Amino acid sequence: MKWQALRAAAVLGMSGLLVTGCSDSGGAKPSDRPRAATASAASSSAPSAEPVSAKAEAAEKVKLAVEKRISADERKFGSGVNSPCSTSSPRMFTAPCKAAADATSDAAGLALTEIDGRQGFATLDSVARKLQAAVRTYQTLGCATEPTAADTRTACLEPAAVIAQGFTDLRDGANAGLAGR
């Protein structure tokens, strides 16, 4: 299959030479040939220096600030199934999850501060607010104090799962901001 593609490219290349006329018919010297076509082709292929829009610049600034914070916290606390707040983690009802929850809430707060008043960050805004609400619920329920009541432990599962996934969701939200979503 690879050879067929190479062969097809070679045939197309040879066809191009035949169509454009590679012979020196009429004895004309290369310097006698018209150059207008090459000059216009060169000018149209020059890279355009389009200015970066203010929106794109703002999105990049938000992305960099949020990513820096997320990366540092993610190295410290982990994320997803590696988070102490993972619903499969024995640390979900302990101080390490509370510390991860606080860091996640702070990262969400940073994201909200960075996007304050800017359009094109609906996903990041939504994710950050959802994370902060999950952290408040986790704290209000006393999930980090190893509750013994079954209904409280069950109620802690949902906010803990949101917190465990928080850094990844914030990163996805910041990436969506680059696309204006």
Side-chain angles (χ1 to χ4, degrees):
M1 178 121 162
K2 185 176 179 182
W3 291 108
Q4 291 173 341
L6 289 172
R7 183 176 177 208
V11 169
L12 285 173
M14 293 301 290
S15 299
L17 289 174
L18 291 174
V19 169
T20 59
C22 61
S23 69
D24 191 12
S25 61
K29 297 179 198 169
S31 60
D32 295 340
R33 292 188 189 135
R35 301 188 71 139
T38 56
S40 66
S43 66
S44 67
S45 66
S48 63
E50 294 181 23
V52 176
S53 74
K55 245 181 166 178
E57 198 171 294
E60 187 63 32
K61 179 182 178 274
V62 168
K63 166 79 170 116
L64 289 174
V66 172
E67 180 61 40
K68 183 177 178 182
R69 177 63 170 272
I70 291 168
S71 294
D73 288 343
E74 199 169 32
R75 279 190 298 276
K76 184 175 181 179
F77 298 106
S79 65
V81 296
N82 296 317
S83 168
C85 297
S86 169
T87 56
S88 63
S89 173
R91 300 180 298 162
M92 187 185 98
F93 298 107
T94 64
C97 180
K98 181 185 181 319
D102 291 343
T104 305
S105 180
D106 289 348
L110 171 68
L112 291 170
T113 299
E114 288 290 326
I115 63 174
D116 187 39
R118 294 186 175 124
Q119 293 183 344
F121 295 96
T123 303
L124 182 57
D125 183 79
S126 174
V127 165
R129 291 182 191 287
K130 181 179 177 181
L131 281 169
Q132 288 188 323
V135 170
R136 279 192 302 274
T137 301
Y138 182 85
Q139 292 170 341
T140 301
L141 292 170
C143 298
T145 61
E146 298 191 37
T148 55
D151 59 334
T152 302
R153 290 177 77 85
T154 300
C156 289
L157 293 174
E158 185 178 340
V162 171
I163 294 164
Q165 192 62 29
F167 296 130
T168 302
D169 290 347
L170 283 171
R171 183 174 289 112
D172 290 347
N175 286 335
L178 290 173
R181 303 185 311 247

